[in-house]
Structures are given as structure tokens and as C-alpha cells.
Amino acid sequence: MSSIVVQTVPKFLDEVVESLKNCEVCDYHMHDEKGRIIITIEGEGVKEELEKLRVIEAIPHVVAADMQMAYSEDELNEHMEVLDNADAVPKMLNDDNIDLDKVIYRGDLKKKDLEGFAAEFDKVN
């Protein structure tokens, strides 16, 4: 489950709220007079939630739709199990022979392939 803040121009607020209420990919919760709307989406994984986010972004007069918080108890439990069974320090961090040019930095969200990331995230090793 993810919460999303949708932003629209105040003159289109009623139209966008109505579109979101009638949209089958989300649940409407509240809005303010500035054009900020709070909705939630649910999916089997991050990839499905991103697909639903794309539907919301395509609604006419939606300026932005940003995930604010995501929660999945099943995914959390699976990832916690992986972490509990993993070494505290990844092996590559203790490898003096690793070629640093081949290390992939994944911390820059502006350049991140979110759909590719979601597909990888949904795979629990």
C-alpha cells in the first residue's frame, strides 16, 4: 500500500477529485483548497503500484503525483528474512581486489530506472 499526494491547479480541483474518486486504481481520502489531494493505492508489489501511479499521472490536470510512503507487510517480512540471514557487511565491501569502476551506485533517484528497480525489488533472493 502506498500513499500518494496528487497536485493540481485549484481551478481544476473538483474535476481531478471526481476523476480520482471514479478511478479504479486508487482510493480518495482528502484534499485541500491549494490543490493537494491524498489518495492510496494497493498492489501485489512495487511494479503494480508504479503502473497504477502512471494511470493517476495521466488524469487530465494532474500536475504531479508522488508516492510519499509505501508499506507492504509481506514484502517487509521477506526482506527482513533475507537481511536476518545475510552477512552484516556485504562481501564486496571487504574485497580489496574489486574493480571500483564496476560498482553501480543506486542512490540517485533522479537517474534511477524506477520500473527496473521495482522489478528487481519485487524479486526476493
Side-chain angles (χ1 to χ4, degrees):
M1 174 181 283
S2 294
S3 63
I4 298 174
V5 176
V6 177
Q7 182 69 51
T8 189
V9 178
K11 72 178 184 177
F12 296 116
L13 180 60
D14 292 337
E15 181 181 337
V16 173
V17 166
E18 196 60 33
S19 293
L20 290 167
K21 285 180 176 180
N22 294 325
C23 181
E24 296 192 14
V25 300
C26 69
D27 292 313
Y28 164 84
H29 297 284
M30 63 190 330
H31 68 274
D32 67 14
E33 71 283 347
K34 294 180 181 180
R36 295 178 293 201
I37 307 162
I38 306 297
I39 61 171
T40 54
I41 58 174
E42 294 184 44
E44 291 297 317
V46 177
K47 184 177 183 200
E48 183 178 342
E49 288 187 15
L50 286 173
E51 289 168 358
K52 290 180 177 184
L53 180 61
R54 301 288 178 250
V55 170
I56 293 161
E57 291 173 328
I59 292 174
H61 310 297
V62 168
V63 175
D66 299 307
M67 282 189 182
Q68 299 300 310
M69 185 174 73
Y71 175 76
S72 168
E73 189 172 342
D74 292 339
E75 287 182 70
L76 176 62
N77 289 339
E78 291 171 0
H79 291 291
M80 288 303 295
E81 185 176 329
V82 170
L83 289 174
D84 287 342
N85 294 322
D87 290 333
V89 177
K91 290 180 177 115
M92 68 178 281
L93 293 179
N94 290 319
D95 186 351
D96 293 333
N97 299 317
I98 195 162
D99 183 357
L100 296 178
D101 292 330
K102 294 185 180 177
V103 174
I104 299 171
Y105 174 67
R106 296 180 186 249
D108 189 346
L109 290 177
K110 292 179 183 176
K111 296 178 184 173
K112 189 171 284 215
D113 169 18
L114 290 178
E115 290 181 13
F117 173 76
E120 287 296 316
F121 186 78
D122 285 341
K123 294 179 196 173
V124 177
N125 297 331

